Amino acid sequence: MSKFVQFSQVTVLSCVCLLSLETVAKAGNFNFDTVVNNGDFVPNTDRLFNSYNPPSVNNEGTVVFRARSQGGSGQPATGIFTRNMNSDTIAPIIPVMTRGQEVPFPNNTMATFTEFPSFPRIDMNSNRVVSRGQSDPVWELGDGTMLGTSGVYTNLGGLSTAVNQLGAIAGFERFSVPGTTPGTRFDQFPGSPAITMGDTLVFKGNWTDNLGNPQTGVYFRNLLDNGGLSPVEFIADSNTLIPGTATEFGSTAPPSAAKDQAVFVGVDNEADPTLGGIYLSSLLDDPTELIPLVSIGGLADLVPGGLKSIGEGLSFDGKSVAFWGDWGDETFTQIVACPEEGNQGRLQFCLDESDNPDNPNGIGNGMFEFEVSVNQGIFVTDIDTMETRLIAETGDDFSTFVFWNFSGRVPGSENEEDGELARWRSSAFLGVSGSQVAFKGTTGPDMETGEDGIYIQLGRNLPLTTVVETGMDGSLLDPEAAGLPITSLAIEREGLRNGWLSIAASMRNEEESWAGIYVTRTTPEPSVKVALLAISLWGFGAIVSRKKNH
């Protein structure tokens, strides 16, 4: 039987709808199409795909994803690819940038890409894609100094450089850190950059001030203005006062962007925040005028004592922002294990860290333990009305919305990830588009026996619906995975747009494995729409009735 997860607490004008399972769309009613799977060849190679990051999708159904092949006799084929899933014909998989491809100008060394450290993103209303890229040094100075191993790249006018580490070199001032000593360059671009309005990059950048202190901030750059020479512009950084306080941001997270606005999380202390929250910036007006949307300690009307912390990964559609938050002091111990697949050097480093007595979380044999908040929720805030709704919370239905990933630089390697040594990072995964909200969660109340799944609220005030869960048969996603149980699922913050839901999944048993990226339409069928409308009207009638009775 399909599993339906109900929420128990919402804000004003929302309702708790206790409904029969036959009332709403059942799990398995989502018809998935394959974007790419292990049976597809990496374009221009003789190697099959076998590993995928969570995809992003635009309003018209074009999916962008990072994927790689097995290593074989050499380096795996790795790259950023797109595929149009809204075509009357079978559209091809299109490479945007790939390992071994020459980095676009500026590049006077014929440097090539070596890795793409984070998931790519796509503009909501166009096919413009952005992705971080690592490479060999792209620029050689007259004295032989080699510079520039990291940047952000886009498919604007062919492949082009959106921003890189060459801002200290004359002629490349457009890549400099704004509001600093002239010629200050960016050190790195952590997380996943975003693009909006077809030509505007929004990103997080790390840099070092003239005293040698590490700094971080949120920035944007129009890629077409002034003949493509417009500079990076400032939103906020480590020297910006948190609005309404005399305290500077100690941490800013990678932003999300839609239409002409951007949102980001900024707090005083990343490890133990007491000030800060989610902020909105207009990219066309004064981008430094930050509008607080949700604050640490806020939403006390929804959760006891208000929010304790807010997740960095924000999904934003220009109207609403979806986010993870927790509250209270109660925690539980979560045990995570080193992954079995991926970069072999990183896997070995994970195993080594598990046995390292100086690692406070390592417990040996590839295992780690972390303290995780018992009280967690998935929220959506309307940026116009400032109303926040609690979409789902931990308890009887869910045990956690937090998932762990071991990523970063392996000792001895200087040319990958964010420059930080590999470590465990925790994230919540969700997406919002219009009245629909999707997220990943583990069913509760005991996560040891729960399943991981993708769940969706198909419209405001509607109960949650299971899209797919681990343990289900792989044929629900991919006919070629029939008979294999689904073992992992992933969604990212631009995985839900305009009724398109795109996810990554793996299927495995003791003898075989399969994986891929899949897309479905979340717009209900006509018969389901009638049922959903009836539910919505029933909920509204219940609210009116309660008001009359009180």
Side-chain angles (χ1 to χ4, degrees):
M1 179 178 288
S2 305
K3 183 179 180 72
F4 289 85
V5 186
Q6 296 166 338
F7 55 94
S8 60
Q9 185 175 3
V10 291
T11 191
V12 181
L13 298 184
S14 296
C15 65
V16 179
C17 304
L18 303 177
L19 307 167
S20 68
L21 299 184
E22 289 72 30
T23 311
V24 295
K26 293 181 175 64
N29 281 2
F30 296 92
N31 297 314
F32 281 89
D33 291 317
T34 300
V35 179
V36 59
N37 65 19
N38 288 11
D40 290 310
F41 287 96
V42 179
N44 306 316
T45 77
D46 60 356
R47 298 186 181 185
L48 294 170
F49 284 107
N50 85 321
S51 179
Y52 316 87
N53 284 87
S56 302
V57 64
N58 70 5
N59 281 349
E60 299 302 318
T62 294
V63 179
V64 59
F65 58 95
R66 174 198 180 203
R68 64 192 298 168
S69 73
Q70 289 183 325
S73 58
Q75 290 284 351
T78 300
I80 306 299
F81 308 88
T82 64
R83 190 174 189 185
N84 178 8
M85 300 303 295
N86 193 19
S87 174
D88 293 334
T89 60
I90 299 177
I93 298 170
I94 304 296
V96 178
M97 54 193 97
T98 56
R99 183 198 297 270
Q101 178 180 355
E102 190 169 313
V103 178
F105 180 83
N107 179 3
N108 70 357
T109 66
M110 299 183 68
T112 58
F113 287 114
T114 58
E115 187 54 273
F116 307 96
S118 60
F119 74 96
R121 299 172 82 167
I122 189 168
D123 181 32
M124 187 167 63
N125 294 313
S126 77
N127 289 333
R128 196 76 64 231
V129 170
V130 291
S131 173
R132 287 173 54 204
Q134 300 291 129
S135 68
D136 302 316
V138 299
W139 203 258
E140 183 177 2
L141 299 176
D143 61 2
T145 301
M146 306 288 283
L147 300 171
T149 60
S150 182
V152 178
Y153 303 91
T154 180
N155 58 345
L156 181 64
L159 191 61
S160 61
T161 300
V163 66
N164 65 12
Q165 297 170 317
L166 302 184
I169 299 175
F172 301 130
E173 291 86 357
R174 60 188 180 277
F175 302 134
S176 297
V177 181
T180 65
T181 302
T184 300
R185 71 178 185 93
F186 285 104
D187 298 327
Q188 191 51 267
F189 311 96
S192 180
I195 191 163
T196 187
M197 298 184 289
D199 61 6
T200 302
L201 170 75
V202 189
F203 65 98
K204 175 179 177 176
N206 288 352
W207 50 281
T208 304
D209 65 21
N210 55 10
L211 297 178
N213 299 313
Q215 306 287 343
T216 186
V218 179
Y219 309 90
F220 72 103
R221 179 172 178 256
N222 186 288
L223 307 178
L224 291 179
D225 283 355
N226 193 29
L229 300 178
S230 60
V232 173
E233 297 186 59
F234 177 85
I235 295 176
D237 70 7
S238 307
N239 303 297
T240 301
L241 294 181
I242 297 174
T245 79
T247 302
E248 297 173 342
F249 284 116
S251 170
T252 56
S256 291
K259 301 178 180 177
D260 59 353
Q261 296 175 308
V263 292
F264 69 95
V265 173
V267 296
D268 59 339
N269 185 317
E270 182 179 8
D272 186 19
T274 60
L275 296 171
I278 301 174
Y279 298 93
L280 176 72
S281 168
S282 170
L283 304 178
L284 295 183
D285 297 324
D286 181 0
T288 66
E289 185 179 340
L290 305 180
I291 299 174
L293 298 179
V294 179
S295 298
I296 299 296
L299 304 186
D301 58 327
L302 285 180
V303 297
L307 292 178
K308 182 179 180 181
S309 61
I310 297 171
E312 291 188 349
L314 306 179
S315 180
F316 182 49
D317 68 354
K319 177 69 166 62
S320 299
V321 55
F323 62 96
W324 171 94
D326 68 347
W327 59 96
D329 297 322
E330 190 177 358
T331 64
F332 68 92
T333 300
Q334 184 173 0
I335 297 176
V336 297
C338 291
E340 298 178 357
E341 299 178 343
N343 179 284
Q344 292 302 308
R346 189 174 300 117
L347 297 183
Q348 185 59 54
F349 183 57
C350 182
L351 294 172
D352 293 342
E353 282 297 287
S354 174
D355 296 321
N356 182 355
D358 294 328
N359 189 316
N361 302 110
I363 56 177
N365 298 317
M367 309 294 285
F368 298 77
E369 61 181 17
F370 299 92
E371 293 302 307
V372 179
S373 292
V374 169
N375 300 302
Q376 311 169 28
I378 303 295
F379 302 83
V380 173
T381 295
D382 186 306
I383 68 170
D384 294 323
T385 66
M386 301 298 286
E387 177 197 8
T388 295
R389 295 179 291 131
L390 176 59
I391 304 300
E393 64 179 307
T394 50
D396 291 338
D397 298 322
F398 294 103
S399 54
T400 188
F401 305 114
V402 172
F403 299 88
W404 297 83
N405 177 49
F406 190 79
S407 61
R409 178 176 59 83
V410 177
S413 172
E414 301 295 334
N415 195 30
E416 61 177 325
E417 300 297 337
D418 296 338
E420 298 179 355
L421 280 179
R423 60 183 175 87
W424 285 101
R425 293 168 167 86
S426 63
S427 300
F429 299 96
L430 42 79
V432 64
S433 180
S435 62
Q436 297 187 347
V437 186
F439 60 92
K440 182 178 178 180
T442 301
T443 55
D446 181 3
M447 68 176 303
E448 296 299 323
T449 58
E451 299 288 352
D452 295 342
I454 306 296
Y455 307 91
I456 191 168
Q457 186 181 58
L458 289 169
R460 185 184 175 93
N461 296 340
L462 298 181
L464 299 179
T465 300
T466 301
V467 178
V468 62
E469 286 182 332
T470 55
M472 291 182 175
D473 192 87
S475 61
L476 288 173
L477 299 175
D478 190 334
E480 297 183 77
L484 295 176
I486 298 170
T487 54
S488 68
L489 295 160
I491 182 176
E492 264 297 352
R493 64 205 75 171
E494 291 177 0
L496 175 65
R497 276 178 166 167
N498 194 34
W500 295 94
L501 176 64
S502 58
I503 65 173
S506 297
M507 289 70 75
R508 174 186 294 272
N509 61 22
E510 293 182 355
E511 291 82 29
E512 300 176 272
S513 63
W514 197 255
I517 290 175
Y518 307 96
V519 66
T520 187
R521 296 295 280 154
T522 60
T523 304
E525 296 297 325
S527 60
V528 177
K529 286 183 179 179
V530 173
L532 296 180
L533 176 61
I535 296 168
S536 182
L537 292 175
W538 177 87
F540 178 75
I543 292 173
V544 173
S545 176
R546 286 197 297 270
K547 286 185 175 180
K548 287 182 177 179
N549 292 334
H550 289 80

